[in-house]
């Protein structure tokens, strides 16, 4: 049985709100339209309060909004000068060990850290010190892992374990040298679903094929449905100059709610493959090669050959195989063609195979 | 699926059989893992140690081809222990008593003997499934790709009826459909015995409806199933074949047989996005557009109609499939006039009430699940709420029959085919995605360590796998994912096309589905050739 829900009343930035008990301050704030910045929080994974960026003031003390549950009569301030100064220093600290290469970083414009640096106008970091530098590059073909840009928020570690059930990566080493990596720092060898790339707030995890293929603001986004298995994940196709250069999925859209698998996320290059058929082909004599032809000639040959078979042997001497890969409309028309234009029920597709 | 993907996370019990969900339907596996995190129990019945086994409460590793024994034994235990849903059985089913008698022989002891699964595990699985009223069954080709495929599905259905785990949320009989629009192709009538919406071609009233709608006399003879066409071509009964977006040379059982059949045709036309192995045999090849170059709909595994939208222009002179078909039809003297895929979809909706309420306009807000009979209908999350459309449904007695091929002295191993996570079907798309191909571009056979040791095969060694039909060469991957005595070969690789080995004569009598999960083979080291 579901537990009865107790409602809790509190005040956030002067706004009165009632939420079920157990709700965190961050989620409660969302409901009244207040966005509290956060770098380790992600709705798909468990909370850790690691980045501290979501701090808010409750009765004069600072608490992390993503992990603190609401309580009755609580008064929360999310944007006092005290909170904002503290947040600014936190971002500044994170940036003190971050490569300032936003101008060439693939994540520019989509980077949560960059957005916060922008919001708090951090031009030169106050805290000067050592920077982590790693010579070793991960050789896997799917995901660029630049651990110099990693802020150790742990979203990737958690989504890989909690949502994907893989646990390919975890924190290694300690203190300043703490690092997210596969066991023994080998190259990543996992399901390559790319959920980690989806949740990474910085440019630490990037699709390898996205690099230098364009900025997101120069791309058109088209929502469509994945062409692979029957789950029917909703995709965003990012198009630049008539080419798909990236595929993503959005939270809240479709059955997949932002998740994808390796095929859906990284299997799109076939669309612009040079192997694509570009003209009709005809074998002009038995045993000869397939040669380019015009549509008019090709369709003329198909029509006359089908007609001839139909006249000579009857419509049931013709069969059609349709496709589970084509659209419903293509399939409807194909069977209508076989049944009404050819005159046979010899129409099937690969449902059994 | 009778039920919905959205319901998965709130299942109490998930019984997954013959489905490698983590690799073949990865995002559904995410939903199953979410259910588990919320406390659900996962039972897996599969001869292979599929990746989800790691998350299972219980894994039943039955011998291939013994699904009926496994399912019947579970039913036997559920009956014996009084875990049945009597009210459901009385109100919604018939044939219970006759069926019940058919289970007498399937004691846990007998079940263990037949399946190789310890009887205690069979009993536990039955108790876990039988005790829950929020239990759902998920299956795929591991159940259907057998000569007993239809019987297997009946045995699955019996379990759901026995416990009343159907017709309510978080339950159901849920086959996970393997291809993006296999549901839509079936719904649209690309089946030899039915018009759109599963309306039978041999019922005169139905036929007349479609004759009126299409203004053409239509044939009442059910047509040939895909797996029958090659045989009929070899006999000379089929002379011409039009293939749109399929690659039967790699997809059909017994490649040699398929190739011969297709070569005997007077005329073969193939419409596709790449020059496939089938296209290479064609007289005419027509360049088509892919999903990103056209508008339309796909219908997914939970009956959800979803939009596909044109994102890029097609290469060269490639044309949308529907335009090619309409033009061909015109040249054959049957004019089809459509301005857009939307018009075609609306025509389909007029012929099948389950889609009638769905419009492209409504789909802008997201997918809608059929049946959706009116414009204000929200769509149907799960089927059979409040009863089955035909009234009571019957239990079906299913008895065990042996697979068509069995391991013997000459062919001592059992081959199962299927997918891996990275590649898709016969590879025309994924093998042209550079990262996928560089990571998973080589064909391999999974072999159990004990079998490998016995045959002195080492990891990554090239081996030859031979069946009664032919042989292929590929790399040995030694792993405990397979049972001893069995090997697994993924279907994706043309250079080691697994259907060279499979048997075109082992088909399910009703569905004509090939027995891809059981082929007798032998494995040899190439060095032995001398």
């Amino acid at each position: 049985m579901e537990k009865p829900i107790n409602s809790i009343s509190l005040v956030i930035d002067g706004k009165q709100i009632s939420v079920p008990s157990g709700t965190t301050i961050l989620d409660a704030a969302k409901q009244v339209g207040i966005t509290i910045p956060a770098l380790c929080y992600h709705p798909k994974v468990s909370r850790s309060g690691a980045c501290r960026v979501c701090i808010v003031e409750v009765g004069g003390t600072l608490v992390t909004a993503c992990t603190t549950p609401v309580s009755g009569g609580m008064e929360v301030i999310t944007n006092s000068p005290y909170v904002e100064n503290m947040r600014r220093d936190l971002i500044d600290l994170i940036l003190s060990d971050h490569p300032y290469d936003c101008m060439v970083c693939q994540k520019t414009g989509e980077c949560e850290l960059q957005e916060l640096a922008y919001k708090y106008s951090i031009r030169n970091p106050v805290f000067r010190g050592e920077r982590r530098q790693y010579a070793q590059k991960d050789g896997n073909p799917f995901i660029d892992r630049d651990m110099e840009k990693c802020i150790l928020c742990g979203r990737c570690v958690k989504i890989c374990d909690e949502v994907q059930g893989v646990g390919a990566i975890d924190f290694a080493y300690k203190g300043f040298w703490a690092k997210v990596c596969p066991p023994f720092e080998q190259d990543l060898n996992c399901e390559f679903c790319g959920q980690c790339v989806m949740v990474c707030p910085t440019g630490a995890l990037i699709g390898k094929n996205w690099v230098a293929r364009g900025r997101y603001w120069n791309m058109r986004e088209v929502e469509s449905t994945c062409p692979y298995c029957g789950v029917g994940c909703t995709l965003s196709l990012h198009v630049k100059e008539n080419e798909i250069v990236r595929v993503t999925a959005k939270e809240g859209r479709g059955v997949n709610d932002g998740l994808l698998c390796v095929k859906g996320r990284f299997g799109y290059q076939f669309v612009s493959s040079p192997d694509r058929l570009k003209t009709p082909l005809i074998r002009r004599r038995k045993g000869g090669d397939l040669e380019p032809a015009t549509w008019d000639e090709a369709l003329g040959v198909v029509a006359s050959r089908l007609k001839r078979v139909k006249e000579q042997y009857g419509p049931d001497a013709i069969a059609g195989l349709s496709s589970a890969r084509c659209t419903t409309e293509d399939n409807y028309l194909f069977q209508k063609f076989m049944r009404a234009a050819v005159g046979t029920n010899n129409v099937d597709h690969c449902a059994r195979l | 699926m009778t039920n919905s993907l959205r319901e998965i996370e709130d299942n109490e019990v998930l019984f997954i059989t013959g489905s490698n969900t983590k690799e073949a339907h990865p995002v559904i596996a995410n939903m199953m893992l979410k259910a588990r995190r919320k406390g659900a129990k996962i039972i897996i019945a599969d001869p292979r140690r599929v990746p989800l086994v790691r998350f299972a409460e219980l894994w039943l590793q039955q011998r291939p081809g013994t699904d009926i024994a496994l399912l019947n034994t579970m039913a036997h235990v559920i009956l014996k222990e009084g875990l049945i849903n009597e009210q459901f059985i009385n109100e919604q089913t018939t044939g219970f008593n006759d069926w019940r008698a058919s289970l007498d022989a399937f004691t846990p002891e007998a079940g263990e003997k037949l399946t190789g699964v310890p009887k205690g595990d069979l009993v536990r699985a039955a108790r876990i499934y039988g005790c829950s009223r929020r239990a759902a069954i998920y299956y795929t080709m591991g159940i259907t790709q057998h000569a007993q495929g239809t019987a297997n599905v009946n045995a699955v259905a019996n379990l759901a009826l026995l416990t009343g785990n159907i017709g309510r949320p978080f339950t159901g009989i849920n086959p996970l459909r393997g291809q993006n629009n296999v549901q839509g192709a079936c719904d649209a009538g690309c089946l030899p015995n039915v018009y759109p919406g599963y309306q039978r071609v041999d019922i005169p009233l139905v036929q007349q409806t479609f004759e009126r709608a299409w203004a053409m006399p239509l044939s009442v003879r059910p047509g040939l199933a895909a797996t029958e066409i090659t045989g009929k071509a070899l006999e000379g009964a089929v002379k011409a074949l039009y293939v749109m977006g399929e690659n039967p040379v790699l997809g059909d059982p017994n490649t040699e047989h398929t190739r011969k059949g297709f070569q005997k045709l007077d005329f073969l036309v193939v419409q596709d996005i790449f020059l496939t192995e089938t296209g290479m045999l064609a007289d005419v090849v027509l360049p088509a557009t892919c999903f990103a170059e056209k508008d339309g709909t796909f219908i997914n595994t939970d009956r959800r109609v979803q939009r596909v939208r044109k994102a890029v222009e097609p290469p060269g002179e490639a044309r949308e499939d529907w335009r090619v078909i309409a033009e061909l039809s015109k040249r054959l003297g049957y004019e089809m006039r459509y301005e857009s895929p939307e018009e075609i979809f609306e025509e389909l909706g007029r012929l099948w009430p389950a889609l009638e309420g769905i419009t492209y306009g409504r789909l802008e807000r997201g997918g809608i699940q059929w049946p959706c009979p009116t414009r204000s209908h929200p769509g149907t999350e799960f089927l059979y709420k409040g009863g089955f459309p035909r009234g009571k449904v019957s239990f079906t007695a299913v008895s065990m029959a042996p697979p068509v091929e069995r391991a013997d002295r000459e062919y001592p191993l059992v081959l199962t085919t299927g997918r891996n996570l990275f590649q898709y079907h016969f590879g025309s798309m994924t093998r042209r995605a550079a990262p996928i191909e560089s990571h998973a571009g080589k064909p391999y056979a999974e072999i159990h360590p004990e079998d490998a040791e016995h045959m002195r095969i080492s990891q990554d060694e090239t081996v030859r796998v031979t069946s009664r039909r032919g042989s292929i060469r590929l790399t040995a991957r030694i792993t405990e994912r397979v049972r001893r005595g069995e090997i697994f070969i993924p279907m994706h690789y043309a250079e080691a096309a697994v259907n060279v080995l499979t048997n075109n004569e082992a088909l399910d009598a009703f569905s004509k589905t090939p027995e891809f999960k059981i082929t007798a083979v032998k494995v040899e080291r190439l060095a032995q050739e001398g």
Side-chain angles (χ1 to χ4, degrees), chain A residues 19-194:
Chain A
V19 292
S21 75
T23 308
T24 62
I25 297 173
L26 189 138
D27 289 334
K30 242 189 228 170
Q31 290 180 27
V32 282
I34 297 168
T35 306
I36 299 172
L39 286 172
C40 70
Y41 163 86
H42 192 279
K44 287 223 177 322
V45 299
S46 62
R47 317 292 166 83
S48 56
C51 74
R52 320 308 287 175
V53 172
C54 69
I55 45 169
V56 292
E57 209 181 321
V58 178
T61 48
L62 293 176
V63 298
T64 47
C66 75
T67 54
T68 310
V70 294
S71 55
M74 202 179 226
E75 279 188 42
V76 180
I77 306 165
T78 73
N79 54 5
S80 66
Y82 179 38
V83 167
E84 293 288 22
N85 276 333
M86 199 61 90
R87 259 189 217 144
R88 189 182 187 287
D89 283 352
L90 282 164
I91 309 291
D92 204 337
L93 269 168
I94 293 171
L95 286 170
S96 72
D97 182 17
H98 193 83
Y100 265 56
D101 64 354
C102 300
M103 62 285 276
V104 290
C105 182
Q106 185 61 38
K107 194 79 170 187
T108 276
E110 306 166 90
C111 175
E112 294 175 46
L113 181 61
Q114 189 186 43
E115 278 306 293
L116 288 173
Y118 172 77
K119 181 178 174 189
Y120 292 100
S121 196
I122 304 169
R123 184 175 294 270
N124 297 303
V126 172
F127 307 99
R128 304 238 169 225
E130 235 184 308
R131 261 195 50 213
R132 294 164 298 167
Q133 283 177 310
Y134 300 115
Q136 190 190 336
K137 293 280 173 246
D138 193 318
N140 83 75
F142 297 94
I143 299 169
D144 244 346
R145 300 178 60 251
D146 185 347
M147 290 303 107
E148 294 179 16
K149 293 178 183 168
C150 173
I151 59 165
L152 301 171
C153 68
R155 284 184 190 174
C156 57
V157 173
K158 287 187 168 194
I159 202 154
C160 187
D161 174 34
E162 296 171 8
V163 174
Q164 199 63 20
V166 171
I169 44 174
D170 206 340
F171 292 101
Y173 306 107
K174 288 180 188 169
F176 179 73
W177 292 106
K179 182 181 188 183
V180 172
C181 59
F184 309 108
E185 292 202 57
Q186 288 165 349
D187 286 353
L188 190 61
N189 185 7
C190 60
E191 295 182 359
F192 294 109
C193 61

Side-chain angles (χ1 to χ4, degrees), chain B residues 151-419:
Chain B
N152 284 347
V153 172
N154 282 329
V156 165
N158 288 336
L159 273 185
L161 295 181
L162 184 62
T163 53
N165 274 316
I166 189 157
R168 286 180 293 108
F170 321 118
T171 64
I173 302 168
N174 300 299
L176 307 177
R177 308 235 51 175
Q179 305 197 56
N180 57 333
N181 199 31
V182 64
Q183 186 67 52
C186 293
D187 295 345
C190 284
L191 293 168
N193 57 339
V194 290
Y195 293 118
Y198 310 94
Q199 306 176 66
R200 281 174 54 176
V201 297
D202 54 357
I203 296 177
L205 256 175
V206 173
Q207 184 215 11
Q208 285 155 22
T209 307
F210 280 87
E211 285 187 338
R212 265 197 308 278
W214 294 342
M216 199 68 180
L218 300 172
S219 167
V220 284
R221 268 188 311 282
L224 297 169
T227 38
E228 295 173 315
I229 288 171
T230 303
K232 291 289 175 192
L234 281 168
E235 286 171 22
V238 167
K239 298 284 185 189
L241 180 61
Y242 179 7
V243 179
M244 172 176 83
E246 291 222 347
N247 191 5
V249 167
L250 290 189
D252 284 7
N254 191 351
T255 308
E256 187 54 31
H257 171 78
T258 312
R259 216 180 273 276
K260 271 189 192 149
F262 281 26
Q263 278 163 347
K264 196 151 183 267
L265 290 166
D266 282 1
F267 185 66
L268 175 63
V269 50
V270 173
Q271 185 169 314
D272 212 315
I273 61 172
F274 293 108
L275 187 59
T276 61
E277 288 71 13
T278 307
M280 287 177 201
L281 300 178
D283 298 287
V284 176
V285 176
L286 303 172
T289 53
C290 78
F291 85 109
E293 295 148 3
K294 60 184 167 192
D295 286 302
T297 61
F298 291 159
I299 306 180
N300 81 341
T301 190
D302 71 357
R303 298 166 279 104
R304 193 178 303 268
V305 183
Q306 307 193 100
R307 274 300 311 276
V308 177
R309 292 184 186 83
K310 180 170 176 171
V312 292
E313 291 300 325
E317 296 171 34
R319 281 190 194 172
E320 290 148 297
D321 293 282
W322 69 270
R323 285 187 198 275
V324 179
I325 299 163
E327 174 65 24
L328 258 183
S329 195
K330 190 174 152 193
R331 289 179 187 235
L332 282 184
Y334 180 74
E335 188 130 13
M336 294 182 179
R337 281 210 197 89
Y338 301 98
E339 290 299 316
S340 66
E342 187 172 6
E343 266 184 39
I344 301 172
F345 186 79
E346 281 166 8
E347 181 175 312
L348 172 58
R350 287 194 293 275
L351 291 166
W352 188 33
L355 292 182
E356 204 170 357
I358 304 176
T359 63
Y360 273 30
R362 289 187 69 186
L363 292 177
E364 282 305 303
R365 290 190 295 279
I368 299 174
Q369 289 170 282
W370 66 250
C372 176
T374 64
R375 294 281 161 97
S376 55
H377 192 287
T380 304
E381 287 243 326
F382 61 92
L383 302 178
Y384 315 133
K385 187 178 183 176
F388 297 100
R390 64 156 92 155
K392 292 187 172 188
V393 296
S394 174
F395 282 94
T396 313
V398 244
S399 52
M400 267 253 310
V404 174
E405 292 200 356
R406 272 181 287 188
D408 57 20
R409 199 172 278 181
E410 199 185 349
Y411 299 101
L413 298 168
V414 169
L415 161 72
T416 293
T417 73
R419 291 184 187 166

Side-chain angles (χ1 to χ4, degrees), chain B residues 47-65:
Chain B
R48 288 201 298 146
R49 181 191 283 273
V50 292
L52 270 186
V53 162
R54 200 155 73 81
F55 302 94
E57 175 86 10
L58 189 59
W59 171 37
L60 316 175
Q61 191 182 22
Q62 78 274 34
R63 290 188 195 104

Side-chain angles (χ1 to χ4, degrees), chain B residues 449-460:
Chain B
E450 287 178 32
D451 291 326
E453 200 188 318
H454 181 68
M455 297 183 283
R456 296 199 187 82
I457 290 167
S458 48
Q459 188 72 279
D460 297 329

